[in-house]
Amino acid sequence: MALILAVRAAGKRYPAPGGTTVTALRHCSLDISGGSFTVILGRSGCGKTTLLRIIAGLETAGEGEVLFPGAGEDRAGTSAGRLRAGASVPRMGFMFQDPRLLPWMTVEQNLALAFSPSGSRAEKQGVRKEIRRILALVGLADRAAAYPGELSGGMAQRAALARCLCRKPLLLLLDEPLSSLDAFTRLRLRGELERIWQSLALTVLLVTHDIEEAVFFGGRILLMDRGSMVREFSVSLPRPRDYHSPAFREQCRIIEGAIGVCGEKAGDACLKEEAL
């Protein structure tokens, strides 16, 4: 598949008390190909959300560059986290840990914000038809007129995903979107998200601290610690993946073992690949 994202030696530091700095990212690099489901796995505070926000353009990097080879003929990208003049960026969807729906608007109205209709009746009808199609895709066909306060946590996250899909994203960025849900809802939504990824041929980059979630979703798992990419795993288990299968449990055990090693060797800027 074609390369759609390339991060090269990205670094980020934040100012700290006493005139010091805290390093959130150091020399992070990764490639994302179209149609893939890539997972960045790491403990809280390792820098994974910072990297995702830099890719989305919500923050700037202090070092390195973010390139979008498929977005324009000039390999449009960023230098030190800032877009070059005239650079093209692919359509992206960003799903946060919380839904971030506007509470005074219905679900349908929240999704309509992703569109820019001209105001003609025909175009408005087309937008409404597309919104209803996407709501059906995420299992919310009967909740278009509901307000966010009338939704369960799982429904609200489905609505947030639907809002992302309205943009027809080339790249979907997921910042631990299921972490705040109860275990039953989380398991169900994992299956639904995988189904949507496959049916729409999306390209997804997910960050998580959950090993089971990483193995369930990931074709590639990038292990991150203390601001650095320290190991890469290729996961070839057939889909849909069975949490209880011996092969799945073994995958999890291998990564659990690697996490202890990474805690000692993080910062070496070495990325090792292991086929699982």
Side-chain angles (χ1 to χ4, degrees), residues 181-237:
L181 303 176
D182 65 82
F184 300 100
T185 304
R186 187 163 58 248
L187 289 173
R188 184 171 67 252
L189 288 188
R190 283 177 187 171
E192 292 183 10
L193 179 56
E194 182 183 47
R195 172 184 59 80
I196 291 169
W197 163 64
Q198 292 178 318
S199 65
L200 299 181
L202 296 170
T203 304
V204 179
L205 178 59
L206 165 74
V207 303
T208 183
H209 61 265
D210 188 309
I211 294 173
E212 279 195 352
E213 186 166 274
V215 174
F216 180 82
F217 283 124
R220 295 167 60 223
I221 299 173
L222 305 175
L223 193 54
M224 192 170 185
D225 195 52
R226 303 179 193 178
S228 296
M229 298 294 185
V230 292
R231 188 164 298 184
E232 177 177 336
F233 299 93
S234 297
V235 183
S236 57
L237 289 174

Side-chain angles (χ1 to χ4, degrees), residues 110-176:
N110 268 279
L111 267 61
L113 295 174
F115 296 89
S116 300
S118 64
S120 69
R121 177 177 295 182
E123 187 163 355
K124 287 181 178 178
Q125 289 177 341
V127 167
R128 188 175 187 187
K129 182 178 180 180
E130 178 66 5
I131 288 173
R132 295 302 176 100
R133 183 189 71 81
I134 293 173
L135 286 176
L137 180 66
V138 300
L140 291 178
D142 60 342
R143 307 301 289 173
Y147 287 88
E150 300 171 335
L151 304 177
S152 67
M155 288 179 179
Q157 284 299 75
R158 284 196 194 99
L161 174 60
R163 183 178 55 195
C164 289
L165 297 179
C166 287
R167 290 179 52 79
K168 294 182 170 59
L170 178 64
L171 178 61
L172 181 60
L173 305 173
L174 305 179
D175 183 14
E176 302 190 74

Side-chain angles (χ1 to χ4, degrees), residues 8-11 23 25-30 63 223-232 261-273:
R8 296 289 178 261
T23 300
L25 293 178
R26 52 165 65 88
H27 306 298
C28 280
S29 297
L30 70 124
E63 304 167 0
L223 193 54
M224 192 170 185
D225 195 52
R226 303 179 193 178
S228 296
M229 298 294 185
V230 292
R231 188 164 298 184
E232 177 177 336
V261 174
C262 289
E264 299 172 4
K265 296 185 177 180
D268 294 344
C270 61
L271 186 64
K272 299 179 181 179
E273 182 169 1

Side-chain angles (χ1 to χ4, degrees), residues 247-261:
F248 188 96
R249 302 316 311 171
E250 179 62 19
Q251 308 278 9
C252 292
R253 282 193 292 272
I254 290 172
I255 295 176
E256 288 168 0
I259 288 175
V261 174

Side-chain angles (χ1 to χ4, degrees), residues 35-113:
S36 63
F37 202 127
T38 304
V39 177
I40 299 175
L41 173 66
R43 66 194 79 199
S44 297
C46 72
K48 56 189 186 296
T49 293
T50 298
L51 178 58
L52 203 67
R53 290 175 63 84
I54 288 172
I55 292 170
L58 299 177
E59 293 191 31
T60 57
E63 304 167 0
E65 55 186 0
V66 179
L67 306 170
F68 300 100
E73 296 180 0
D74 64 343
R75 292 182 60 85
T78 70
S79 178
R82 287 176 287 276
L83 281 172
R84 295 203 310 265
S88 300
V89 176
R91 290 188 307 275
M92 287 186 275
F94 195 108
M95 193 171 172
F96 298 88
Q97 295 180 25
D98 55 282
R100 303 197 181 189
L101 301 172
L102 299 180
W104 59 87
M105 289 185 169
T106 64
V107 169
E108 182 175 334
Q109 289 169 339
N110 268 279
L111 267 61
L113 295 174

